[in-house]
Structures are given as C-alpha cells and as structure tokens.
Tab-separated table of all heavy atoms in Angstrom:
chain	number	residue	atom	x	y	z
Y	30	ILE	N	0.832	-1.207	0.000
Y	30	ILE	CA	0.000	0.000	0.000
Y	30	ILE	C	0.863	1.252	0.000
Y	30	ILE	O	0.645	2.180	-0.774
Y	30	ILE	CB	-0.947	-0.008	1.217
Y	30	ILE	CG1	-1.871	-1.235	1.173
Y	30	ILE	CG2	-1.759	1.275	1.277
Y	30	ILE	CD1	-2.722	-1.393	2.423
Y	31	LEU	N	1.834	1.278	0.874
Y	31	LEU	CA	2.773	2.395	0.967
Y	31	LEU	C	4.191	1.864	1.120
Y	31	LEU	O	4.401	0.902	1.868
Y	31	LEU	CB	2.438	3.293	2.179
Y	31	LEU	CG	1.175	4.148	2.099
Y	31	LEU	CD1	0.961	4.883	3.428
Y	31	LEU	CD2	1.253	5.148	0.955
Y	32	PRO	N	5.138	2.453	0.442
Y	32	PRO	CA	5.038	3.561	-0.510
Y	32	PRO	C	4.242	3.221	-1.773
Y	32	PRO	O	3.820	4.129	-2.487
Y	32	PRO	CB	6.506	3.837	-0.876
Y	32	PRO	CG	7.326	3.201	0.171
Y	32	PRO	CD	6.539	2.013	0.626
Y	33	GLY	N	4.075	1.919	-2.055
Y	33	GLY	CA	3.449	1.501	-3.301
Y	33	GLY	C	4.514	1.096	-4.300
Y	33	GLY	O	5.557	1.745	-4.409
Y	34	ARG	N	4.278	0.025	-5.020
Y	34	ARG	CA	5.312	-0.504	-5.919
Y	34	ARG	C	5.711	0.482	-7.015
Y	34	ARG	O	6.795	0.380	-7.597
Y	34	ARG	CB	4.839	-1.802	-6.568
Y	34	ARG	CG	4.555	-2.937	-5.594
Y	34	ARG	CD	5.686	-3.198	-4.627
Y	34	ARG	NE	6.935	-3.540	-5.304
Y	34	ARG	CZ	8.077	-3.766	-4.689
Y	34	ARG	NH1	8.146	-3.633	-3.357
Y	34	ARG	NH2	9.163	-4.087	-5.358
Y	35	SER	N	4.860	1.439	-7.306
Y	35	SER	CA	5.198	2.415	-8.353
Y	35	SER	C	6.297	3.370	-7.923
Y	35	SER	O	6.945	4.004	-8.767
Y	35	SER	CB	3.955	3.207	-8.761
Y	35	SER	OG	3.455	3.969	-7.665
Y	36	LEU	N	6.512	3.515	-6.615
Y	36	LEU	CA	7.562	4.406	-6.107
Y	36	LEU	C	8.851	3.611	-5.935
Y	36	LEU	O	9.004	2.850	-4.969
Y	36	LEU	CB	7.154	5.034	-4.776
Y	36	LEU	CG	5.930	5.955	-4.768
Y	36	LEU	CD1	5.795	6.638	-3.419
Y	36	LEU	CD2	6.021	6.996	-5.877
Y	37	GLN	N	9.768	3.770	-6.852
Y	37	GLN	CA	11.029	3.028	-6.805
Y	37	GLN	C	12.249	3.949	-6.862
Y	37	GLN	O	13.282	3.641	-6.275
Y	37	GLN	CB	11.087	2.034	-7.972
Y	37	GLN	CG	10.040	0.936	-7.911
Y	37	GLN	CD	10.267	-0.034	-6.764
Y	37	GLN	OE1	11.393	-0.194	-6.278
Y	37	GLN	NE2	9.198	-0.687	-6.311
Y	38	ASP	N	12.157	5.072	-7.570
Y	38	ASP	CA	13.318	5.947	-7.709
Y	38	ASP	C	13.551	6.727	-6.415
Y	38	ASP	O	12.641	6.945	-5.613
Y	38	ASP	CB	13.139	6.904	-8.877
Y	38	ASP	CG	11.959	7.846	-8.676
Y	38	ASP	OD1	10.799	7.393	-8.848
Y	38	ASP	OD2	12.183	9.014	-8.312
Y	39	GLU	N	14.777	7.139	-6.222
Y	39	GLU	CA	15.168	7.782	-4.966
Y	39	GLU	C	14.403	9.072	-4.715
Y	39	GLU	O	13.987	9.344	-3.580
Y	39	GLU	CB	16.670	8.053	-4.948
Y	39	GLU	CG	17.131	8.669	-3.622
Y	39	GLU	CD	18.638	8.743	-3.507
Y	39	GLU	OE1	19.328	8.038	-4.250
Y	39	GLU	OE2	19.114	9.508	-2.649
Y	40	ALA	N	14.179	9.871	-5.735
Y	40	ALA	CA	13.475	11.142	-5.547
Y	40	ALA	C	12.069	10.915	-5.018
Y	40	ALA	O	11.597	11.638	-4.122
Y	40	ALA	CB	13.429	11.914	-6.861
Y	41	SER	N	11.385	9.903	-5.536
Y	41	SER	CA	10.028	9.607	-5.083
Y	41	SER	C	10.025	9.118	-3.640
Y	41	SER	O	9.155	9.483	-2.847
Y	41	SER	CB	9.387	8.549	-5.987
Y	41	SER	OG	9.253	9.027	-7.306
Y	42	LEU	N	11.025	8.303	-3.294
Y	42	LEU	CA	11.090	7.772	-1.932
Y	42	LEU	C	11.484	8.852	-0.930
Y	42	LEU	O	11.032	8.848	0.214
Y	42	LEU	CB	12.056	6.597	-1.875
Y	42	LEU	CG	11.588	5.344	-2.618
Y	42	LEU	CD1	12.672	4.267	-2.606
Y	42	LEU	CD2	10.298	4.795	-1.997
Y	43	VAL	N	12.336	9.790	-1.353
Y	43	VAL	CA	12.679	10.926	-0.487
Y	43	VAL	C	11.429	11.739	-0.184
Y	43	VAL	O	11.173	12.122	0.972
Y	43	VAL	CB	13.763	11.806	-1.149
Y	43	VAL	CG1	13.885	13.143	-0.401
Y	43	VAL	CG2	15.102	11.091	-1.153
Y	44	LYS	N	10.635	12.002	-1.198
Y	44	LYS	CA	9.385	12.751	-0.998
Y	44	LYS	C	8.438	11.976	-0.086
Y	44	LYS	O	7.819	12.549	0.820
Y	44	LYS	CB	8.718	13.018	-2.344
Y	44	LYS	CG	7.442	13.849	-2.238
Y	44	LYS	CD	6.853	14.134	-3.614
Y	44	LYS	CE	5.564	14.959	-3.499
Y	44	LYS	NZ	4.967	15.235	-4.835
Y	45	PHE	N	8.329	10.659	-0.300
Y	45	PHE	CA	7.476	9.828	0.537
Y	45	PHE	C	7.926	9.877	1.997
Y	45	PHE	O	7.102	10.010	2.916
Y	45	PHE	CB	7.503	8.381	0.029
Y	45	PHE	CG	6.898	7.386	0.973
Y	45	PHE	CD1	5.522	7.274	1.099
Y	45	PHE	CD2	7.705	6.561	1.748
Y	45	PHE	CE1	4.956	6.360	1.980
Y	45	PHE	CE2	7.154	5.646	2.630
Y	45	PHE	CZ	5.778	5.541	2.745
Y	46	ALA	N	9.233	9.779	2.229
Y	46	ALA	CA	9.754	9.826	3.599
Y	46	ALA	C	9.407	11.150	4.265
Y	46	ALA	O	9.019	11.188	5.441
Y	46	ALA	CB	11.258	9.600	3.598
Y	47	GLY	N	9.529	12.239	3.531
Y	47	GLY	CA	9.190	13.546	4.082
Y	47	GLY	C	7.722	13.681	4.408
Y	47	GLY	O	7.337	14.363	5.359
Y	48	GLN	N	6.873	13.016	3.624
Y	48	GLN	CA	5.433	13.094	3.841
Y	48	GLN	C	4.954	12.224	4.994
Y	48	GLN	O	3.892	12.488	5.561
Y	48	GLN	CB	4.704	12.661	2.558
Y	48	GLN	CG	4.841	13.626	1.396
Y	48	GLN	CD	4.295	13.047	0.105
Y	48	GLN	OE1	4.218	11.823	-0.074
Y	48	GLN	NE2	3.904	13.920	-0.819
Y	49	THR	N	5.716	11.186	5.338
Y	49	THR	CA	5.217	10.197	6.306
Y	49	THR	C	6.037	10.066	7.581
Y	49	THR	O	5.596	9.403	8.516
Y	49	THR	CB	5.140	8.807	5.649
Y	49	THR	OG1	6.439	8.435	5.173
Y	49	THR	CG2	4.149	8.811	4.492
Y	50	VAL	N	7.221	10.662	7.647
Y	50	VAL	CA	8.047	10.499	8.855
Y	50	VAL	C	7.292	11.006	10.079
Y	50	VAL	O	6.618	12.032	10.038
Y	50	VAL	CB	9.402	11.211	8.697
Y	50	VAL	CG1	9.236	12.726	8.598
Y	50	VAL	CG2	10.335	10.858	9.844
Y	51	LYS	N	7.383	10.240	11.153
Y	51	LYS	CA	6.711	10.612	12.398
Y	51	LYS	C	7.608	10.293	13.580
Y	51	LYS	O	8.574	9.537	13.469
Y	51	LYS	CB	5.384	9.866	12.558
Y	51	LYS	CG	5.537	8.358	12.644
Y	51	LYS	CD	4.193	7.656	12.814
Y	51	LYS	CE	3.621	7.808	14.198
Y	51	LYS	NZ	4.433	7.117	15.242
Y	52	THR	N	7.274	10.857	14.714
Y	52	THR	CA	8.034	10.610	15.928
Y	52	THR	C	7.845	9.187	16.421
Y	52	THR	O	6.818	8.560	16.192
Y	52	THR	CB	7.603	11.593	17.039
Y	52	THR	OG1	8.367	11.318	18.231
Y	52	THR	CG2	6.132	11.441	17.371
Y	53	ASN	N	8.855	8.698	17.127
Y	53	ASN	CA	8.726	7.455	17.884
Y	53	ASN	C	8.549	7.769	19.372
Y	53	ASN	O	8.713	6.899	20.221
Y	53	ASN	CB	9.936	6.557	17.658
Y	53	ASN	CG	9.692	5.099	17.987
Y	53	ASN	OD1	10.489	4.474	18.676
Y	53	ASN	ND2	8.585	4.534	17.532
Y	54	TYR	N	8.273	9.038	19.671
Y	54	TYR	CA	7.874	9.492	21.010
Y	54	TYR	C	9.018	9.460	22.032
Y	54	TYR	O	8.787	9.185	23.203
Y	54	TYR	CB	6.695	8.655	21.539
Y	54	TYR	CG	5.597	8.450	20.541
Y	54	TYR	CD1	5.450	7.245	19.873
Y	54	TYR	CD2	4.703	9.477	20.228
Y	54	TYR	CE1	4.439	7.055	18.935
Y	54	TYR	CE2	3.686	9.291	19.299
Y	54	TYR	CZ	3.567	8.080	18.654
Y	54	TYR	OH	2.577	7.893	17.725
Y	55	HIS	N	10.236	9.824	21.593
Y	55	HIS	CA	11.375	9.753	22.509
Y	55	HIS	C	12.204	11.037	22.528
Y	55	HIS	O	13.437	10.969	22.447
Y	55	HIS	CB	12.285	8.574	22.133
Y	55	HIS	CG	11.609	7.257	22.108
Y	55	HIS	ND1	11.979	6.228	21.259
Y	55	HIS	CD2	10.564	6.784	22.835
Y	55	HIS	CE1	11.205	5.184	21.463
Y	55	HIS	NE2	10.332	5.493	22.412
Y	56	PRO	N	11.611	12.236	22.632
Y	56	PRO	CA	12.428	13.453	22.650
Y	56	PRO	C	13.399	13.454	23.829
Y	56	PRO	O	13.048	13.050	24.940
Y	56	PRO	CB	11.399	14.581	22.760
Y	56	PRO	CG	10.143	13.940	23.253
Y	56	PRO	CD	10.170	12.535	22.752
Y	57	SER	N	14.623	13.893	23.567
Y	57	SER	CA	15.702	13.859	24.565
Y	57	SER	C	16.696	14.978	24.286
Y	57	SER	O	16.751	15.515	23.182
Y	57	SER	CB	16.449	12.506	24.488
Y	57	SER	OG	15.594	11.405	24.571
Y	58	GLY	N	17.486	15.306	25.304
Y	58	GLY	CA	18.711	16.046	25.089
Y	58	GLY	C	18.686	17.550	25.152
Y	58	GLY	O	19.704	18.188	24.900
Y	59	SER	N	17.560	18.185	25.506
Y	59	SER	CA	17.465	19.645	25.420
Y	59	SER	C	18.220	20.384	26.520
Y	59	SER	O	18.375	21.604	26.452
Y	59	SER	CB	15.999	20.081	25.450
Y	59	SER	OG	15.395	19.698	26.674
Y	60	LEU	N	18.698	19.657	27.537
Y	60	LEU	CA	19.492	20.267	28.620
Y	60	LEU	C	20.712	19.375	28.861
Y	60	LEU	O	20.906	18.823	29.929
Y	60	LEU	CB	18.663	20.396	29.902
Y	60	LEU	CG	17.376	21.225	29.806
Y	60	LEU	CD1	16.541	21.086	31.077
Y	60	LEU	CD2	17.692	22.691	29.543
Y	61	ARG	N	21.518	19.238	27.866
Y	61	ARG	CA	22.481	18.139	27.845
Y	61	ARG	C	23.555	18.231	28.923
Y	61	ARG	O	23.996	19.309	29.322
Y	61	ARG	CB	23.120	18.010	26.479
Y	61	ARG	CG	24.345	18.838	26.215
Y	61	ARG	CD	24.942	18.457	24.863
Y	61	ARG	NE	26.105	19.264	24.556
Y	61	ARG	CZ	26.510	19.519	23.324
Y	61	ARG	NH1	25.819	19.067	22.310
Y	61	ARG	NH2	27.589	20.233	23.110
C-alpha cells in the first residue's frame, strides 16, 4: 500500500519519507 510498488526511484522515496516520517515518542537532550 505504501510507498506503493510504483515508487522506486530515490526522488520519489525521499518525498514519501518527508510526507510520512513521524516521531517514535522519545524526545531527549534539550538540557544536555
């Protein structure tokens, strides 16, 4: 379903990653 077999070239996958990247809920380090 995602990314979908039609998305194979790097440019398409880079765009897909930017559209779907999400947190894994582990923010850290702001007062190191």
